[in-house]
Amino acid sequence: MAKDSSFDVVSQVDMQEMDNAVNQVKKEISQRYDFRGSNATVELSDDCIKLTAEDDYKAGAILDMLRQKMAKRGIPLRAIVPGKIEPAAKNTVRQELKIQQGISKEAGKKIVAAIKASKLKVNAQIQDNQVRVSGAKKDDLQAVIQLLKADDFGVDLQFINMR
């Protein structure tokens, strides 16, 4: 009997590339004329990016710069979820951008439901923050990949570990 083939559906962000994008934004802030003398900052932590600026306009400009740098580096724009702009100390505003890592349970359920609704002869199961799809035929697995690429589940999907 033939062995089942499988692959994993994940949503990952290359944190090294994200760090590079944030560093490029920091450099651009220090060089741009409209940010001269302002105390605008961008900081990257494990799962979020913190923006600080003098007003909403400059916070929006920093976010736009970050999105441009992310796009140039191949980081999906859906990887960050902007929070609300809040007032901070010394007449500044701050905004926290959450970095999405992994597939949430709700998105995983939607993915599994879409795969089952396709009536392909594959099995899909949720494992922590990824979905494992296995089946006897590699053609069915390729069809699942095309199906998932065509649909929108609210997260950026990558397909890894094809065996």
Side-chain angles (χ1 to χ4, degrees):
M1 183 168 171
K3 185 180 174 197
D4 278 359
S5 299
S6 67
F7 68 91
D8 296 330
V9 181
V10 297
S11 179
Q12 298 174 336
V13 176
D14 185 359
M15 291 307 286
Q16 182 61 48
E17 289 295 328
M18 183 65 84
D19 184 44
N20 291 341
V22 168
N23 287 335
Q24 285 183 333
V25 170
K26 286 180 184 178
K27 185 175 181 182
E28 188 169 337
I29 287 172
S30 69
Q31 294 176 348
R32 275 183 47 168
Y33 178 75
D34 55 342
F35 284 100
R36 290 268 159 88
S38 72
N39 56 355
T41 61
V42 181
E43 297 174 14
L44 175 67
S45 65
D46 291 337
D47 61 345
C48 69
I49 300 170
K50 294 178 182 168
L51 306 176
T52 307
E54 291 179 343
D55 53 27
D56 294 353
Y57 173 75
K58 287 186 179 176
I62 294 171
L63 183 59
D64 288 343
M65 283 189 283
L66 180 63
R67 285 186 172 146
Q68 288 174 354
K69 302 303 180 194
M70 287 172 57
K72 284 183 182 178
R73 296 197 152 276
I75 303 169
L77 298 180
R78 287 185 173 181
I80 58 170
V81 179
K84 200 171 87 172
I85 296 178
E86 303 169 343
K90 299 181 183 175
N91 283 340
T92 61
V93 294
R94 69 173 164 241
Q95 184 176 19
E96 200 166 283
L97 310 172
K98 179 105 173 75
I99 300 173
Q100 286 187 338
Q101 292 276 40
I103 298 174
S104 67
K105 293 286 184 196
E106 295 81 28
K109 288 178 183 177
K110 288 179 187 176
I111 291 170
V112 170
I115 292 170
K116 289 186 179 186
S118 70
K119 303 288 186 195
L120 292 169
K121 294 185 179 178
V122 295
N123 294 327
Q125 55 190 355
I126 300 172
Q127 297 178 341
D128 289 337
N129 56 3
Q130 66 183 16
V131 177
R132 164 97 19 110
V133 180
S134 59
K137 296 181 181 177
K138 287 195 176 189
D139 289 342
D140 288 344
L141 296 179
Q142 293 290 339
V144 168
I145 290 174
Q146 295 306 316
L147 171 85
L148 295 178
K149 282 183 178 179
D151 234 345
D152 181 24
F153 298 101
V155 293
D156 189 61
L157 300 177
Q158 293 96 26
F159 308 99
I160 61 170
N161 296 336
M162 181 69 125
R163 297 183 192 132

